Amino acid sequence: MKGKRVPTELEASWSEKDMVDGEVVSAQVLIMRTNGCCWARNGNGGCTMCGYRTASLNNVTEADLNAQIDQALSKYKGEPFVKIYTSGSFFDTNEIPESIRTRMFQEYAGCRRILVESRPEFITDELVSTLPKNLTVALGLESSNEEVLRTCVHKGFTAQQSREAAERLKAAGLMVRTYLLLKPPFMSERSGMEDAISSARFAAPFSDEISINPLNIQHGTYVERLWKRGDFRSPWIWSLISVMKSLAGTVDSRLMSSPSGGGSQRGVHNCGSCDAQALEAIEKFSFSQDPSDLDVSCECRLTWERYLAAERFLGTAADIGRAFDSDLTIKM
């Protein structure tokens, strides 16, 4: 039985590898419990794939957030990179009041790099002028296609708004990491790949880093309902590898991916036998940018190719694999 979630404790924290100035370093990762994403709380329902509202609480106070900072500092081991996540936007004062933001920047002032996330509407000229130069802001663009943003993701802002926010940050000398979603709901495997590639090319001019995030089926989301009834399959790792190979060497941004739930049925996956090897290749490429690191082989690649062909023939984005055997022969 899970323990009671209290507002004075972090949702989660851990250490992982990332990069600072081309060097692989350790990063402290913090997920804070806040009052939640404004887009999800204001009667809009939030994004179709986002389950992070479960990490938010009601009436989280500044005292609660200060207690979470104290907990984070007690776990800090001098990592040169610190990532601070909430269930919404770091610059939404309903989630992170200015006093808390100021304290966190002061506490981690000695870090070489700090990363936070935000929706673009909070990135104003006034805000940007107050931000420390060691800050990277991650923007969840997801797709450069306005119809995909509106109907598939239900993002609540436009690609142009995201670009303007990024350009504002870049003009101030800050770094930008752009998140793109591989295979939003209602899109076939192939169309999801094509959308990720075109979106990366759109984002590259204003992004230091582009993170390709394969859709992970989170609990309590609209996408989960689609998945349970067979109308959605989380992406193949082969699709992620194909996207990375198509983009490698063609954009100046660092390409990366750290898939949530990789290797599970809810996350990006192949046949199961090659998943660990394929995910390791993705991680290695995310640091090296060498496309040869993506060279993975498995018999299930042929199944993936057949899956793409079958999708196109049938004209569907549903999980056709549920109606076929592993080699895509029809189940009788």
Side-chain angles (χ1 to χ4, degrees), residues 254-281:
R254 174 196 171 202
L255 299 169
M256 57 184 296
S257 185
S258 182
S260 298
S264 71
Q265 290 301 303
R266 287 178 176 265
V268 61
H269 64 279
N270 286 341
C271 65
S273 298
C274 68
D275 289 23
Q277 179 189 10
L279 290 169
E280 184 179 348

Side-chain angles (χ1 to χ4, degrees), residues 176-253:
V176 172
R177 176 178 290 185
T178 296
Y179 295 140
L180 298 178
L181 187 64
L182 175 59
K183 197 181 178 185
F186 312 117
M187 299 186 75
S188 68
E189 196 82 14
R190 186 177 296 279
S191 62
M193 293 161 56
E194 292 170 349
D195 183 69
I197 292 169
S198 61
S199 297
R201 300 199 192 286
F202 170 86
F206 54 79
S207 304
D208 297 279
E209 299 168 324
I210 296 175
S211 179
I212 309 291
N213 300 329
L215 196 153
N216 174 41
I217 300 163
Q218 298 177 358
H219 293 281
T221 61
Y222 181 77
V223 171
E224 185 184 48
R225 295 202 296 273
L226 294 176
W227 173 67
K228 285 184 174 179
R229 69 189 192 196
D231 289 334
F232 183 81
R233 183 203 191 274
S234 51
W236 292 72
I237 307 175
W238 294 121
S239 299
L240 178 57
I241 288 175
S242 179
V243 168
M244 293 299 202
K245 282 188 172 183
S246 295
L247 292 169
T250 70
V251 295
D252 292 331
S253 312

Side-chain angles (χ1 to χ4, degrees), residues 120 139-150 155-167 178 180 195 198-199 202-203 206:
L139 299 171
L141 169 61
E142 316 302 3
S143 172
S144 62
N145 184 306
E146 302 293 0
E147 186 66 16
V148 171
L149 285 177
R150 186 178 67 85
K155 196 69 184 182
F157 58 72
T158 66
Q160 179 62 23
Q161 286 176 291
S162 189
R163 176 166 62 184
E164 290 172 355
E167 290 174 343
T178 296
L180 298 178
D195 183 69
S198 61
S199 297
F202 170 86
F206 54 79

Side-chain angles (χ1 to χ4, degrees), residues 89-93 96 98 101 105 116-133 135 137 165 168-169 172 174:
S89 297
F90 186 82
F91 298 120
D92 179 356
T93 54
I96 302 292
E98 288 187 25
R101 181 203 315 162
F105 288 159
V116 299
E117 297 176 333
S118 181
R119 289 175 63 87
E121 57 260 42
F122 297 108
I123 309 299
T124 63
D125 288 329
E126 181 181 6
L127 170 74
V128 170
S129 67
T130 69
L131 300 178
K133 297 304 181 183
L135 187 68
V137 179
R168 195 169 289 124
L169 292 162
L174 301 177

Side-chain angles (χ1 to χ4, degrees), residues 33 62 77 83 93 98 103 110 175 190 236 250 266 298-299:
R33 288 175 176 161
E62 289 192 32
K77 296 181 174 62
K83 305 178 185 181
T93 54
E98 288 187 25
R103 183 189 172 195
M175 291 183 65
R190 186 177 296 279
W236 292 72
T250 70
R266 287 178 176 265
C298 182
E299 292 180 356

